[in-house]
Amino acid sequence: MHKVLVTGASGFIGKEVVRQLVAAGRPVRVALRDGCARDDFNSSVEVVETGHIDGKTLWHKALAGIDQIIHLASHVHQPGTGPEIFACVNVQGTEHLARMALAAGVTRLVYVSSVKAQGETTYGSPMWESDPLAPEDAYGCSKRDAELALKKVACDTTLEFSIIRPTLVYGPNAVGNLQRLMALVARGLPLPFGALQNRRSLVDVETLADLCIRCLDHPAARNEIFLAADDAPISTTKLLKCLAAGLDITPLLFPFSGSALRFAGRLLRRRDAMTRLLGSLEVDATKARTYLDWPSRASSEAGLVKMAREFRARGGHAR
């Protein structure tokens, strides 16, 4: 059975990928940055420390005896992050790993990119894999450039690749914007998002992890790119109502016009955050379901309620 290396294994998505690999009886090695908690993984998982990921990372020990890779490690949005950091970790780090994987005899590398490599807004029709790449920020540009670097390394070689572009990922112990939204809803404050009709695609962490694993072995995943999303998009208003249901509270949502909210976002210097709340980002994941028989969740609503219930059970704190 092929041995799998998972990078970024200590993250929200990585932990679920490792859990599913172990449950399937797959031999797994995880590559962790120095200082990451080893006790997140059971005794069947081999742990290797690699240090910082960039164009000079020493992957030899991590790659020894490895057949396949799921590459999740990346630098994400943080205050004060400049484009050079994204380029160093996400682009140079991915290209360097791909070159060393090729030299080590790895057969397939599954790269978890982001929908942001294609863009962040749709207008009336969903995004497809064949649409032009139009990233809107340094993070999205780094994901696009990492994809291009991986394809360049793999071109006319024995290294196969699959690229996955997930939308916003939710699930138990979700981090980032979703966790902040849950905390905001939990406070019971009135929110001006009661009448939004935007369409945003989300993806459940369990089904995303399943897609990553399918791409390891499925012949139809060879050198292909897949968008990852649940079947049905959801409005920001509905998202907030689902979180409130899971938190067992009545949301105080008031209808304000989109133009008024955008103006408020500019005044408060939260223009980008407001754009994400108000705008649409809808993708069509038919390709993954057709090529790989991938059973994505039919609706995000039940998953969001479940996520919020678990958040409430932990007292409104991340694990």
Side-chain angles (χ1 to χ4, degrees), residues 105-120:
V106 171
T107 56
R108 185 171 293 184
L109 193 158
V110 177
Y111 177 52
V112 181
S113 180
S114 169
V115 69
K116 289 176 176 286
Q118 281 190 245
E120 298 192 44

Side-chain angles (χ1 to χ4, degrees), residues 204-231:
D204 174 69
V205 69
E206 293 184 6
T207 49
L208 174 59
D210 177 82
L211 178 59
C212 293
I213 294 169
R214 284 172 187 261
C215 284
L216 288 174
D217 301 303
H218 204 298
R222 178 181 179 271
N223 297 348
E224 293 289 347
I225 298 171
F226 301 100
L227 285 163
D230 294 344
D231 286 347

Side-chain angles (χ1 to χ4, degrees), residues 72 103 106 129 231 280:
L72 285 152
V106 171
E129 290 88 351
D231 286 347
S280 293

Side-chain angles (χ1 to χ4, degrees), residues 141-159:
C141 287
S142 73
K143 286 294 190 177
R144 174 203 60 195
D145 293 346
E147 291 184 15
L148 296 175
L150 171 59
K151 289 193 284 186
K152 182 178 179 180
V153 171
C155 183
D156 296 326
T157 73
T158 57
L159 179 65

